[in-house]
Amino acid sequence: MGKYISIFLFFFFTSISVFAQHPIEGKWDTQRHGTILSIKKNKNIYEGFVKSTGSEKIEEGKQMIRKIQPTKNGFEGEIYSVKQDKWLTAEFYPEKETMEVKISIGILSKTLEWERK
């Protein structure tokens, strides 16, 4: 009986670490035009706004990320494309110091890497 409890506890604690997510909240350097985004939780969703930028096309305080919700492996929601002037579907995979952002445009996708500030 003790053997089964040990096995159960082993799988229980190892499965918790597999599903643990790194937080998406914080400041992120988008690696483009010196733009820093601040992502915060608002009720049950996450939103991201421009904290600072070196781009003339983007204004500070502008919302760039919306409707972000956790998924099994990361987060998903929408990101604003300044070039296309529209919202695009995106997936967010935060790690300790970096975040992979996968932006989908129809059947095409582009992956960016952001750094935590």
Side-chain angles (χ1 to χ4, degrees), residues 1 10 22 31 37 42 47 59 85 92 99-100 116:
M1 185 68 157
F10 171 78
H22 291 281
Q31 307 293 309
L37 297 180
N42 183 8
E47 300 174 325
E59 56 190 67
D85 190 29
F92 302 83
M99 178 160 55
E100 189 175 281
R116 189 178 294 276

Side-chain angles (χ1 to χ4, degrees), residues 27-30 32-38 49-55 58-62 64 117:
K27 293 180 186 171
W28 295 94
D29 183 345
T30 66
R32 293 185 172 222
H33 311 291
T35 301
I36 307 293
L37 297 180
S38 177
F49 295 87
V50 176
K51 186 78 173 166
S52 63
T53 186
S55 173
I58 305 170
E59 56 190 67
E60 290 182 19
K62 179 169 181 54
M64 298 296 288
K117 286 308 249 183

Side-chain angles (χ1 to χ4, degrees), residues 42-81:
N42 183 8
K43 298 183 182 169
N44 291 330
I45 60 170
Y46 294 90
E47 300 174 325
F49 295 87
V50 176
K51 186 78 173 166
S52 63
T53 186
S55 173
E56 295 177 6
K57 296 180 179 182
I58 305 170
E59 56 190 67
E60 290 182 19
K62 179 169 181 54
Q63 185 174 17
M64 298 296 288
I65 299 173
R66 69 179 185 185
K67 301 179 183 177
I68 303 299
Q69 296 183 337
T71 63
K72 183 179 177 183
N73 298 323
F75 297 83
E76 64 181 26
E78 296 179 340
I79 189 166
Y80 183 74
S81 169

